[in-house]
Amino acid sequence: MWRPSWLCGFHSALLLSRTKPRPPPAVSFGRNVRVSHASSGPPKPLWKKVTSATVVGVPLLLGVRYLMAEAREKRRMRLMVEGVGRFSRSLNIGLQISVDYWWCTNVLLRGVDENSPRYVEVMSACHQRAADALVAGAISNGGLYIKLGQGLCSFNHLLPPEYIRTLRVLEDKALTRSFREVDELFLEDFHAPAHEIFQEFDYQPMAAASLAQVHRAKLHDGTDVAVKVQYIDLRDRFDGDICTLELLLRLVELMHPSFGFSWVLQRVLTADFCEGFKVNDVEAIKAQGLTLQDIAQKLIQAFAEQIFYTGFIHSDPHPGNVLVRKGPDGKAELVLLDHGLYQFLDEKDRSALCQLWRAIILRDNASMKLHAAALGVQDYFLFCEVLMQRPVRLGQLWRSHLLSREEAVYMQDMAREHFEDIMSVLKALPRPMLLVLRNINTVRAINASLGAPVDRYFLMAKSAVKGWSRLGGGTYQSIYRCSLLRQIKVVWELLKFEVALRLEIVLMRVTALVVRTLVHLGLVTEPEGLYEYLET
């Protein structure tokens, strides 16, 4: 008879701890597969798959496209990438300068007197750091950035001297390009390198500017020439740089609402080779035995004739584009370079500008208002000061053709305190007038760098009269049918203006003589700085 067996606790535990037999391989494989599927989770969303494919595929496709592209297309693709770098560099420089000025004025110089030596020293160092950063950024970015730096050089009466001294390097010493790039451009345009086209070609550029660099070469007949070679990537990067600058200006305008400047074909040119030195190179001028007065007078007369007489105006007359050499008569000759940017001022605007300049010299308030309105400007007083770049105090004569310290401070304060009004005036002007203002201001800056040896206002006023009299003949033709009467009217206006110009000097000298006599007789005491005020 069967009896159930009883196990002790120890043997029961031992029996339960024994390993179960291993299943067959097929059963084990099926089980593992089921476990694997169960542990993988739900499938990835479609957008994640698309994103992953884009991140991997787009750079791969672009790389293949770049390798298969032609040389010009490769250059354009590189410029697109470099454009991001230029924008980032420009933004970084702007932020760096802004933070530096904020730190100096609000932390380092907090509570420090503006006239103290420490204030002057700290701000001078800050100005220098900002100017160095601007030059480094302009040279690295090239193109339009250098052109902007050149434009800032003409504001030597408003910007600190540290800016002017540092930015002058941009006038003709921009970053040069390699000889390989020069030959690449010649091969694209002429299917031959430069040294095969010319008998001699110096790959070391004589000067490098914002848009091109100049090489000295010799034709096969032995003639020396200057070869201006446009930067090979200029056309490709121009649109991108314009967009970048517009975006940067809008960002600045967003941070500083009063700042509102966001509204603002061959690649090889062979020309005569002209010896000479820059018009503001005072040491070279004196070494040649030439006089600063003669050079300044010829410079002002040349550009004044363009503005008031012909209306065909060189719009980029910075010192790198104006050379001086000794002529056959032993006197100075001016050589104008870079005729790629000219502006034509139509007869209507030219006539209004001539009469406005005339009205300013004559202190004719009503005529100033009338002719400024003809140019689209209502705030005629402010516009006249922008045009003349000195205070225009109605009813008061200028004491000298030199800008005094008091007047310079006034102009700086005016530019700072009335910036919004100045922007409104510039926006109201006809667009050609903006380049005319650039020309006038650049010539003013060159004359100042020469020590202002001549009266720029008087010389330009004479040209304004000449231009206005030429245009005035047509104006009076309908009124004075007789040519004799018409000529008499024009001559009378000329005479009246010339008398008024000379009357200024006579009145100032007579006033000085009377005051000196009264002081000598002891009838009046000499006010401080009176004689300096009466100098002409």
Side-chain angles (χ1 to χ4, degrees), residues 470-491:
R470 183 185 184 188
L471 299 171
T475 303
Y476 293 114
Q477 188 171 5
S478 59
I479 303 175
Y480 301 94
R481 296 296 179 183
C482 176
S483 61
L484 178 60
L485 294 178
R486 185 169 64 250
Q487 291 300 324
I488 291 175
K489 176 63 178 179
V490 172
V491 170

Side-chain angles (χ1 to χ4, degrees), residues 67-366:
L67 294 175
M68 298 177 62
E70 296 181 354
R72 291 188 181 184
E73 187 64 24
K74 286 182 178 180
R75 185 167 64 242
R76 293 191 183 97
M77 296 175 71
R78 289 197 303 268
L79 288 174
M80 290 179 61
V81 178
E82 293 172 1
V84 178
R86 290 194 297 273
F87 173 78
S88 303
R89 185 185 298 115
S90 303
L91 185 61
N92 179 60
I93 290 174
L95 292 175
Q96 172 188 334
I97 293 175
S98 297
V99 171
D100 194 6
Y101 272 106
W102 182 89
W103 180 261
C104 290
T105 55
N106 293 279
V107 178
L108 297 181
L109 298 177
R110 186 174 184 180
V112 179
D113 184 12
E114 292 186 4
N115 297 319
S116 65
R118 171 169 169 74
Y119 187 94
V120 174
E121 180 184 358
V122 172
M123 288 308 300
S124 177
C126 184
H127 294 327
Q128 189 61 55
R129 288 193 298 271
D132 291 338
L134 287 175
V135 169
I139 292 178
S140 298
N141 289 343
L144 296 179
Y145 296 88
I146 293 179
K147 185 65 68 179
L148 287 177
Q150 292 174 349
L152 291 176
C153 291
S154 62
F155 291 93
N156 54 4
H157 61 310
L158 296 178
L159 293 176
E162 292 84 359
Y163 280 87
I164 305 304
R165 289 195 302 266
T166 307
L167 290 171
R168 278 178 179 162
V169 72
L170 300 177
E171 290 174 352
D172 59 358
K173 299 231 175 359
L175 193 64
T176 60
R177 304 297 182 93
S178 67
F179 72 93
R180 293 185 181 86
E181 182 175 309
V182 174
D183 272 345
E184 183 180 351
L185 186 144
F186 270 85
L187 287 171
E188 289 183 3
D189 286 9
F190 304 106
H191 308 291
H195 63 269
E196 293 183 4
I197 295 177
F198 298 94
Q199 181 180 334
E200 296 180 8
F201 186 88
D202 187 358
Y203 281 95
Q204 183 64 32
M206 301 170 50
S210 56
L211 308 178
Q213 59 190 30
V214 181
H215 298 262
R216 187 166 188 166
K218 183 177 291 187
L219 300 178
H220 288 286
D221 62 0
T223 303
D224 288 328
V225 293
V227 182
K228 188 172 184 178
V229 181
Q230 190 181 95
Y231 297 137
I232 193 170
D233 57 357
L234 178 65
R235 296 181 182 180
D236 297 328
R237 65 184 291 180
F238 185 83
D239 292 338
D241 284 349
I242 286 290
C243 294
T244 299
L245 289 173
E246 287 181 349
L247 179 57
L248 289 173
L249 290 173
R250 292 188 185 279
L251 289 176
V252 174
E253 188 174 352
L254 183 63
M255 293 184 292
H256 307 281
S258 62
F259 185 92
F261 267 119
S262 56
W263 45 275
V264 180
L265 258 242
Q266 294 296 322
R267 297 190 292 177
V268 177
L269 176 65
T270 304
D272 292 335
F273 185 86
C274 299
E275 297 283 357
F277 39 87
K278 290 169 60 175
V279 68
N280 61 350
D281 191 345
V282 177
E283 294 183 1
I285 291 173
K286 293 180 178 179
Q288 291 290 321
L290 304 175
T291 64
L292 299 178
Q293 181 178 1
D294 181 44
I295 292 172
Q297 182 171 343
K298 290 177 177 176
L299 173 76
I300 293 169
Q301 287 178 336
F303 288 107
E305 289 294 303
Q306 292 182 4
I307 293 171
F308 299 119
Y309 194 66
T310 66
F312 193 55
I313 305 164
H314 191 304
S315 300
D316 194 20
H318 64 78
N321 284 339
V322 184
L323 299 183
V324 178
R325 65 185 181 188
K326 182 179 287 189
D329 58 354
K331 296 183 179 180
E333 281 185 350
L334 299 183
V335 181
L336 299 185
L337 307 177
D338 195 357
H339 301 278
L341 182 59
Y342 269 74
Q343 180 62 59
F344 182 76
L345 192 63
D346 63 35
E347 185 173 318
K348 174 179 173 293
D349 293 338
R350 191 160 73 250
S351 176
L353 183 61
C354 289
Q355 295 181 79
L356 178 62
W357 201 286
R358 171 181 176 274
I360 294 172
I361 299 299
L362 296 179
R363 297 302 190 270
D364 188 342
N365 190 5

Side-chain angles (χ1 to χ4, degrees), residues 397-518:
L397 300 176
W398 286 327
R399 62 190 182 208
S400 169
H401 67 274
L402 298 175
L403 196 67
S404 67
R405 178 178 179 81
E406 177 189 359
E407 290 175 320
V409 171
Y410 171 88
M411 292 301 295
Q412 292 172 0
D413 292 341
M414 186 268 290
R416 181 171 53 252
E417 296 172 3
H418 300 280
F419 196 86
E420 293 184 11
D421 298 329
I422 294 174
M423 291 299 101
S424 298
V425 167
L426 295 179
K427 291 178 182 179
L429 286 171
R431 286 295 174 262
M433 273 297 300
L434 297 178
L435 288 178
V436 172
L437 290 177
R438 170 183 167 86
N439 179 295
I440 293 174
N441 193 46
T442 304
V443 172
R444 179 209 57 77
I446 296 175
N447 184 50
S449 68
L450 296 176
V454 296
D455 191 339
R456 180 177 69 94
Y457 307 99
F458 183 81
L459 292 175
M460 294 192 69
K462 291 180 67 176
S463 294
V465 172
K466 183 185 296 184
W468 178 78
S469 64
R470 183 185 184 188
L471 299 171
T475 303
Y476 293 114
Q477 188 171 5
S478 59
I479 303 175
Y480 301 94
R481 296 296 179 183
C482 176
S483 61
L484 178 60
L485 294 178
R486 185 169 64 250
Q487 291 300 324
I488 291 175
K489 176 63 178 179
V490 172
V491 170
W492 167 248
E493 293 293 340
L494 285 170
L495 179 61
K496 186 171 65 173
F497 189 51
E498 291 284 347
V499 170
L501 287 175
R502 283 156 179 74
L503 188 60
E504 285 194 21
I505 300 175
V506 173
L507 288 176
M508 295 296 285
R509 290 179 177 176
V510 170
T511 304
L513 179 61
V514 171
V515 172
R516 290 177 188 272
T517 302
L518 294 176

